Amino acid sequence: MKSVLSIQSAVTIGAVGNTMASLVMAAAGHHLCRVDTVQLAAHPGHGFRAGGSIDDQAFADMLDGIERLNPDFAALMT
């Protein structure tokens, strides 16, 4: 099983960004390592926005932590 790093938004209800990528990559036999840049209840097309993005420092810390673990990713998806 190959690991893929995916840096995208995510929703709790629906299937866009990392939420959809998780399903597709699992079906293809890959392990998706997610960095969710935005976490929303659902796509804003539902008429409202609930949730938001992670701040710059949290994003940088996440990437630093991943780098320190020195994973062997087969691909990067953004």
Side-chain angles (χ1 to χ4, degrees):
M1 178 180 295
K2 295 182 179 179
S3 292
V4 175
L5 177 62
S6 181
I7 303 173
Q8 300 188 62
S9 63
V11 295
T12 301
I13 297 172
V16 297
N18 267 341
T19 309
M20 176 56 92
S22 294
L23 300 170
V24 172
M25 297 305 279
H30 302 297
H31 173 70
L32 195 69
C33 301
R34 296 170 51 157
V35 175
D36 294 339
T37 57
V38 175
Q39 180 64 55
L40 299 174
H43 188 280
H46 287 276
F48 65 93
R49 180 182 169 110
S53 61
I54 63 172
D55 64 46
D56 292 345
Q57 188 60 55
F59 181 70
D61 290 346
M62 180 77 75
L63 296 181
D64 286 344
I66 291 168
E67 185 176 21
R68 287 182 63 190
L69 293 168
N70 196 28
D72 183 25
F73 294 120
L76 168 65
M77 181 169 42
T78 62

